[in-house]
Amino acid sequence: HVQLVESGGGSVQAGESTRLSCEVTWATHRVNCMGWFRQRPGEKREGVAAIYTAGGPTYYADHAEGRFSISNDRAKKTVYLQMNSLKPEDTAMYYCATKRGWCSLRGADFAYWAQGTQVTVS
């Protein structure tokens, strides 16, 4: 069983930056890919970014490309989502999640999910 602990988020002004963290605290051997997802008010959940925990390519949704950056600290078993140039439309609940095998941005592929953290941009 994989356990994830999210931190970060909160309220920021448009144009500002913030960083989310997601630590894998248990059963890390079951994690090959970690992804970030978000759910905006009234919208379906959508992928944001994903990364292989062992290193390698990263993947971004179109809305995140160029503004968001996903990174992985293997020693800390933590994945980060750096979000820059935030816009009001980035307001959402953000979730990290893990899966074994290939990375994707499809939420249905991910088995374990963190509790979510709210990011509000005004």
Side-chain angles (χ1 to χ4, degrees):
H1 186 69
V2 176
Q3 293 185 355
L4 306 172
V5 179
E6 269 192 63
S7 60
S11 296
V12 297
Q13 297 293 313
E16 293 183 343
S17 301
T18 195
R19 188 179 76 164
L20 307 181
S21 301
C22 179
E23 182 184 4
V24 183
T25 61
W26 190 250
T28 57
H29 63 282
R30 297 185 180 184
V31 177
N32 297 116
C33 173
M34 293 189 69
W36 286 97
F37 297 82
R38 71 182 187 184
Q39 187 164 17
R40 297 185 291 173
E43 302 286 334
K44 294 181 179 180
R45 183 181 62 197
E46 60 182 351
V48 178
I51 189 170
Y52 285 102
T53 55
T58 53
Y59 303 89
Y60 294 94
D62 289 344
H63 64 81
E65 188 76 58
R67 296 189 302 127
F68 295 0
S69 177
I70 188 170
S71 61
N72 179 33
D73 186 328
R74 296 177 64 183
K76 295 183 178 179
K77 299 177 183 177
T78 299
V79 172
Y80 303 95
L81 183 67
Q82 176 69 39
M83 301 190 291
N84 301 323
S85 302
L86 283 162
K87 306 174 182 178
E89 51 264 43
D90 293 317
T91 294
M93 185 71 78
Y94 284 76
Y95 301 88
C96 68
T98 71
K99 68 180 301 291
R100 303 188 74 174
W102 302 106
C103 261
S104 80
L105 288 177
R106 202 169 74 105
D109 293 340
F110 286 73
Y112 298 100
W113 292 78
Q115 75 281 6
T117 187
Q118 178 68 36
V119 174
T120 301
V121 185
S122 59

